[in-house]
């Protein structure tokens, strides 16, 4: 059963880099796994200031009122710079922060995108095991974190601000391709006309990008997170999306392939870890780097040279 403190502690374990904590985290994940899978995992992205937190507050409260349990996680590898956005996130979501059917976990501070992504995947599972059936993963729409989030969630919602034609031109096609749902926020007051025009622009731009799924044509819609209008339509669209993908088997196929990519990421990470902690490599590395810097060895040959020095984990020659 849901125990907020136990969940928070478990997430702290999976966020820790201490080797003994890693073992404990793996145990917790194994325990959680049989109780996972019964949720919808939604990535929510958008540029700073677009209204992600305000939207999640409105959307989360709407879902809680409808009987759901909502967990909010944040992926923000850049948060090292400002030491995490704990206060920011919680004060922007005052209602959700104190709601008994909601759980907000701010960005783990620091680390590589890969590390943050792994912790988020594990945290999602822990939240599911604790009985949360809607998992919202917030990420700032800069850098590569949205791709990582789109790959670990079921649905990807892209929030956009009302904007003129020039700004629209600047929106990267890559991010549009990720969106299952494009939501133009701030459709209120004096911004309403421009939001409406922006929606039309995006809707036609979206017709040019290849949809992620053959079962789903991405939709664009207007909301105001501030006045809480259009929020229910976002949820109905997500439910339609879930139905379309579930009926065709794509939902579970995607989750299966996400498990495999997670495994692949873990392998890559382990190999790198072992490699970087290898004594022979450490001894060779600087010397070879000096030759590269001096121009007496080309970087590509240097990499071969370094790998030749590696016996692999456990001493078995593997390269
Ligand atoms: N008019 C209007 N303002 C909004 C709306 N949603 C958010 N805002 C305002 O936009 C500003 C940024 O909102 P946030 O929710 O903090 O945006 P964010 O995307 O979470 O920002 P970061 O966490 O910094 O990336 C705040 O001043 C909000 O009050 C909306 O629907 N309409
Ligand atoms: Mg925010």
């Amino acid at each position: 059963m849901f125990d907020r403190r136990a969940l928070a502690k478990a997430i702290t374990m999976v966020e820790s880099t201490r080797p003994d904590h890693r073992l404990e985290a793996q145990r917790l994940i194994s325990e959680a796994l049989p109780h996972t899978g019964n949720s919808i995992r939604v990535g929510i992205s958008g540029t700073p200031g677009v209204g992600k937190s305000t939207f999640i507050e409105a959307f989360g409260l709407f879902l809680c009122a409808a009987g759901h349990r909502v967990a909010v996680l944040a992926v923000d590898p850049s948060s090292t710079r400002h030491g995490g956005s704990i206060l920011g996130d919680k004060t922007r979501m005052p209602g959700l922060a104190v709601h008994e059917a909601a759980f907000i976990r701010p960005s783990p501070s620091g680390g590589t995108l890969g590390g943050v992504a792994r912790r988020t995947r594990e945290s999602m599972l822990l939240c599911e095991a604790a009985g949360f059936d809607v998992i919202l993963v917030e990420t700032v729409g800069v850098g590569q974190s949205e791709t990582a989030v789109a790959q670990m969630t079921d649905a990807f919602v892209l929030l956009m601000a009302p904007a003129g034609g020039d700004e629209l031109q600047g929106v990267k096609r890559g991010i549009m391709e990720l969106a299952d749902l494009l939501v133009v926020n701030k459709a209120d007051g004096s911004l309403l006309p421009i939001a409406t025009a922006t929606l039309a622009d995006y809707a036609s731009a979206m017709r040019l990008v290849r949809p992620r799924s053959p079962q789903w044509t991405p939709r664009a819609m207007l909301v105001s997170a501030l006045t809480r209008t259009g929020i229910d339509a976002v949820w109905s669209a997500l439910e339609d999306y879930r139905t379309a993908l579930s009926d065709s088997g794509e939902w579970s196929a995607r989750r299966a392939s996400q498990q495999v990519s997670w495994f692949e990421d873990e392998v890559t990470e382990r190999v790198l870890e072992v490699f970087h902690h290898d004594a022979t490599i450490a001894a060779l590395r600087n010397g070879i780097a000096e030759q590269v810097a001096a121009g007496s060895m080309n970087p590509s040959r240097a990499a071969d040279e370094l790998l030749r020095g590696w016996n692999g984990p456990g001493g078995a020659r593997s390269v």
Side-chain angles (χ1 to χ4, degrees), residues 95-127:
L96 215 50
V98 299
H99 202 292
E100 48 98 22
F103 177 83
I104 300 178
R105 184 72 177 195
S107 326
S109 57
T112 60
L113 176 56
V116 173
R118 178 177 68 194
R119 288 175 266 169
T120 306
R121 279 194 274 233
E122 293 182 348
S123 302
M124 284 196 302
L125 295 176
L126 293 171
C127 289

Side-chain angles (χ1 to χ4, degrees), residues 10 76 79-81 85 106 138 150 153 166 181 192-193 207-208 225 231 239 256 261 269 273 279-280 291 297 301 314:
D76 182 8
S79 68
T80 21
R81 271 182 281 142
S85 42
E138 177 184 350
T153 49
D166 288 354
L181 222 59
L192 183 55
R207 282 194 276 275
L208 303 174
I231 302 296
E239 287 198 305
S261 350
E269 202 169 306
E273 213 166 274
T280 326
Q291 293 182 59
M297 197 186 296
R301 239 208 75 210

Side-chain angles (χ1 to χ4, degrees), residues 168-252:
L168 177 62
Q169 302 299 322
V171 176
K172 287 192 210 76
R173 196 190 164 100
I175 182 142
M176 294 267 292
E177 281 173 351
L178 294 177
D180 300 305
L181 222 59
L182 190 150
V183 174
V184 178
N185 188 31
K186 308 197 182 181
D188 50 51
S190 59
L191 289 169
L192 183 55
I194 179 165
T196 308
T198 305
L199 177 73
D201 286 347
Y202 284 136
S204 52
M206 279 169 82
R207 282 194 276 275
L208 303 174
V209 303
R210 199 166 53 91
R212 282 214 292 166
S213 160
Q215 317 301 333
W216 179 252
T217 308
R219 294 188 199 164
M221 56 186 63
L222 286 182
V223 304
S224 166
L226 201 64
T227 65
R228 302 190 181 170
T229 31
I231 302 296
D232 51 344
V234 172
W235 181 240
S236 350
L238 285 171
E239 287 198 305
D240 291 349
Y241 170 86
R242 168 151 63 179
T243 305
L245 269 68
S246 302
D247 288 352
S248 67
E250 190 176 335
W251 188 273
S252 45

Side-chain angles (χ1 to χ4, degrees), residues 49 51-54 85 88-89 92-93 138 140:
K52 294 178 295 299
S53 302
T54 312
S85 42
D89 284 347
R92 287 263 182 240
M93 305 177 200
E138 177 184 350
V140 172

Side-chain angles (χ1 to χ4, degrees), residues 60-73:
L61 288 173
F62 165 84
L63 291 169
C64 290
H68 294 282
R69 294 179 156 276
V70 180
V72 180
L73 304 172

